[in-house]
Amino acid sequence: MTLTPTSIMRYYLMTVLFFSFLGLHAADADSLSLYGRMRSNGTTAESGFFSLVYDNPAMKYVWHPSTLNELRAGGEYIHEEQPSLAEEGDGRYMGFVDVRSFIRKGNSSLWGEARYKNGKKTGRRWNETSDYLLLYPYVMGDTVGGDLKSEQYYFSGGYAYRKGSYTIGAEGSYGADIEYRNADPRPKNLTGDLYFTIGMSWKTGNHYALGYSLHARKYKQTNDLQFYNELGVPNIYHFTGLGTDYYRFRGAKGKSFYKGRSFGGSVNLSPFDAGEGGFAVSLLYDHFSFDKIISSLNELPMASVGEHDLRGEIAWRSSKDRFSRWGMKLEAAFTKRTGTENLFGDASGNIYPQIAEDEMYMNRIRRGVLSGFYEYMYRSGTVFSIIPSIGYTDMNTRYVYPRREMEIHRLHSQLMLKAMFPCGHWLLRGELGGRYVASLTPELQLPAVETEEAKKLNQPVYGNYGYLAANQAGFQVAMRGDYSRHKAYGLFLELRYVYGHDTRPSAANSLTASVGVAF
């Protein structure tokens, strides 16, 4: 029997649902109602404040205090007047179904997620390759583009076991994506992304757990672009960054594939038990690399990319108080990506001998964010929280020859207000937030161009620079209502709207709606 993404999705969904129903019995054992478990897991102090530490699956043993499972279905709509990233298009509309589960049972914690999305990505131009943010700048594209149909699958699951002072854990995930268009130009992209991590932690003193983890990843994409028009076709470009392409391989060479891999690890310090106050400290390193190979040229290895990613987080939250909690968090990240292009001699029998290689592309990103929260719980069960944050990001992108460079500095701030309150058989949640991004001394240097072809290839560079150099403001509002007449399960409806505006000028709207069952 052949396993397709659809059959894998079906089997995985059944598995996650099976363990979710096991979690329902675990929830009965801890005597908490559905709303009690939602409040226990969903307050600001418990939901996402300690974040990087949970890249270690052993630390996920205390990811949430209570068992909680959700199955939902819905849709999302996004549209931008001008794309924030030219190579990704101006929006999408997708339907989705997903199931998420976290189970606390005895000395074990289990978690899993299965997700399926189907729809259309709109206004795609300059790029016919999937996963642009993973594979940039070495994508394949053209000047025509168009909407793309997309079908996405994602599965993940993990397990952690605690014995005395020691905890071990493992987690794996697999994602697949199919993108295609039924009109010229006609890409057909198939991706596969496999990830696995293992971790361990042990108790140090009376309060904390010290841990470490190792992870590995394997990625592959086949990228096939075809034209059926017999009267002529536009050029296919193999882009190399900041408006450049591998000029020698322009034309109708529309078959490529990508082979990627990564490895890394983390060290972590966190409170030993779920929900405890104190510090959480994490440092994570990942090295990702991939090769771009042009299949149309007898498997020619055009370029390779190496990326170093280092992230750190130090956070503190107060111990549980009868009514209030608060915390602070500092996050920092450093990413450096370099692209090496191979040089080839004259072809002999459609085989291009590699004669040299040269590091031509570099992108460096540095980011720091300081955030905090204050949360207050009233006697009625209402929970209110405020979450401010402020951060700074700078990015430097360069291409060696012809010399091109982009420099971006941005100051960003955000304020979020959240509330959760019971109302009869309902548990109501609301969220309101605003953000502002200020661009500081942006700079773009491109060489003077004379040909119309070069001017065309600079268009996405100017478009992306325009977005990054603009000041931006926006807000988001979200509402969710859970209805339950039973202690163990309930139905919910959730809506989220996001609006953004920048000084190019351009506006963006995003709406997500879903219905589901929680248990």
Side-chain angles (χ1 to χ4, degrees):
M1 181 180 67
T2 301
L3 288 179
T4 65
T6 303
S7 63
I8 295 173
M9 176 73 178
R10 186 185 305 119
Y11 297 143
Y12 192 86
L13 189 61
M14 292 172 61
T15 302
V16 173
L17 286 172
F18 172 74
F19 282 108
S20 298
F21 282 110
L22 288 182
L24 182 61
H25 297 292
D28 291 338
D30 68 18
S31 74
L32 282 178
S33 68
L34 173 67
Y35 291 165
R37 289 183 282 127
M38 285 182 170
R39 281 193 293 266
S40 177
N41 287 8
T43 63
T44 300
E46 303 296 346
S47 177
F49 189 70
F50 288 175
S51 53
L52 191 58
V53 66
Y54 297 126
D55 276 41
N56 183 342
M59 294 296 190
K60 278 190 174 179
Y61 181 85
V62 294
W63 192 15
H64 299 301
S66 303
T67 291
L68 187 63
N69 312 288
E70 293 184 351
L71 172 65
R72 76 181 70 206
E76 62 177 356
Y77 168 80
I78 299 174
H79 178 70
E80 299 175 321
E81 291 179 351
Q82 298 183 57
S84 55
L85 182 59
E87 292 85 355
E88 286 281 54
D90 59 15
R92 64 178 181 266
Y93 49 93
M94 310 278 285
F96 64 85
V97 59
D98 71 44
V99 56
R100 301 177 185 180
S101 179
F102 182 81
I103 300 166
R104 296 291 301 272
K105 193 171 182 67
N107 291 331
S108 301
S109 290
L110 301 93
W111 58 92
E113 180 179 358
R115 180 172 66 247
Y116 172 73
K117 301 177 75 172
N118 192 315
K120 185 175 288 187
K121 298 180 179 180
T122 61
R124 178 78 71 84
R125 195 178 173 206
W126 308 108
N127 172 35
E128 303 289 4
T129 303
S130 299
D131 295 333
Y132 176 80
L133 289 174
L134 184 68
L135 301 176
Y136 77 93
Y138 295 104
V139 298
M140 182 170 62
D142 54 70
T143 59
V144 180
D147 297 349
L148 277 174
K149 294 183 180 180
S150 176
E151 193 171 353
Q152 301 173 13
Y153 306 83
Y154 177 79
F155 330 100
S156 70
Y159 174 77
Y161 176 78
R162 174 168 288 179
K163 182 69 173 178
S165 298
Y166 292 89
T167 308
I168 57 173
E171 183 176 19
S173 68
Y174 178 75
D177 192 357
I178 303 170
E179 291 188 347
Y180 61 96
R181 186 186 299 119
N182 290 326
D184 285 357
R186 302 169 189 253
K188 183 178 180 181
N189 304 335
L190 303 174
T191 72
D193 194 353
L194 180 66
Y195 180 87
F196 184 74
T197 180
I198 58 173
M200 181 179 181
S201 69
W202 59 93
K203 192 173 185 180
T204 59
N206 297 322
H207 187 64
Y208 287 98
L210 179 65
Y212 64 89
S213 69
L214 299 172
H215 66 255
R217 178 185 189 182
K218 185 175 182 180
Y219 176 88
K220 184 176 181 180
Q221 178 178 166
T222 58
N223 189 193
D224 188 355
L225 182 61
Q226 298 183 6
F227 295 86
Y228 288 0
N229 188 346
E230 298 178 357
L231 300 179
V233 299
N235 270 332
I236 296 174
Y237 301 96
H238 294 275
F239 290 110
T240 53
L242 287 180
T244 63
D245 72 305
Y246 209 128
Y247 180 85
R248 185 177 182 182
F249 300 133
R250 282 183 188 176
K253 304 167 183 67
K255 293 186 178 182
S256 300
F257 71 90
Y258 298 83
K259 296 190 300 182
R261 76 292 299 171
S262 78
F263 64 88
S266 69
V267 292
N268 326 95
L269 179 71
S270 177
F272 185 71
D273 292 320
E276 283 192 346
F279 284 98
V281 182
S282 285
L283 184 66
L284 183 145
Y285 170 77
D286 178 74
H287 179 263
F288 174 68
S289 61
F290 71 84
D291 302 307
K292 174 175 178 174
I293 298 168
I294 304 178
S295 309
S296 305
L297 294 173
N298 201 22
E299 311 295 322
L300 180 140
M302 191 196 95
S304 61
V305 161
E307 179 178 275
H308 299 275
D309 184 25
L310 183 64
R311 288 179 284 159
E313 174 183 290
I314 179 168
W316 179 88
R317 67 184 176 198
S318 64
S319 299
K320 288 184 177 179
D321 184 83
R322 186 177 181 184
F323 295 115
S324 65
R325 297 188 78 176
W326 66 280
M328 298 286 290
K329 179 167 65 174
L330 178 63
E331 302 166 86
F334 174 84
T335 302
K336 184 177 181 181
R337 170 172 292 208
T338 55
T340 300
E341 298 168 20
N342 297 322
L343 305 177
F344 302 91
D346 295 333
S348 175
N350 200 34
I351 297 176
Y352 290 79
Q354 182 178 333
I355 58 176
E357 62 180 37
D358 201 356
E359 188 177 293
M360 299 291 288
Y361 177 86
M362 190 280 294
N363 187 43
R364 174 193 44 76
I365 303 172
R366 296 182 294 203
R367 177 181 173 88
V369 179
L370 177 65
S371 59
F373 80 91
Y374 176 77
E375 184 171 78
Y376 189 85
M377 179 178 290
Y378 297 87
R379 287 186 173 88
S380 63
T382 296
V383 181
F384 175 81
S385 56
I386 179 170
I387 310 107
S389 68
I390 187 169
Y392 175 79
T393 300
D394 79 65
M395 180 175 70
N396 178 261
T397 309
R398 288 180 294 183
Y399 194 80
V400 174
Y401 183 82
R403 177 73 178 186
R404 295 161 179 255
E405 186 169 4
M406 180 168 63
E407 188 84 25
I408 298 294
H409 306 271
R410 306 211 298 178
L411 186 66
H412 37 93
S413 59
Q414 180 172 281
L415 180 65
M416 295 289 297
L417 304 175
K418 294 183 179 181
M420 180 190 310
F421 54 94
C423 183
H425 293 293
W426 289 85
L427 179 66
L428 303 177
R429 283 181 258 190
E431 185 178 304
L432 178 64
R435 65 180 181 86
Y436 182 76
V437 179
S439 180
L440 311 173
T441 61
E443 186 176 354
L444 177 64
Q445 297 179 13
L446 298 180
V449 296
E450 298 178 355
T451 67
E452 290 301 317
E453 192 88 3
K455 291 178 181 179
K456 281 195 299 184
L457 297 186
N458 281 341
Q459 288 180 25
V461 182
Y462 285 118
N464 294 341
Y465 174 76
Y467 172 77
L468 294 171
N471 294 332
Q472 302 160 21
F475 69 89
Q476 61 178 307
V477 57
M479 295 170 288
R480 170 167 166 164
D482 289 82
Y483 179 80
S484 176
R485 298 185 66 90
H486 190 276
K487 178 181 177 180
Y489 59 85
L491 304 174
F492 67 84
L493 170 66
E494 186 171 11
L495 298 171
R496 179 177 296 273
Y497 173 72
V498 181
Y499 174 80
H501 184 273
D502 61 63
T503 54
R504 286 179 287 178
S506 178
N509 293 274
S510 170
L511 178 65
T512 305
S514 62
V515 295
V517 57
F519 52 96

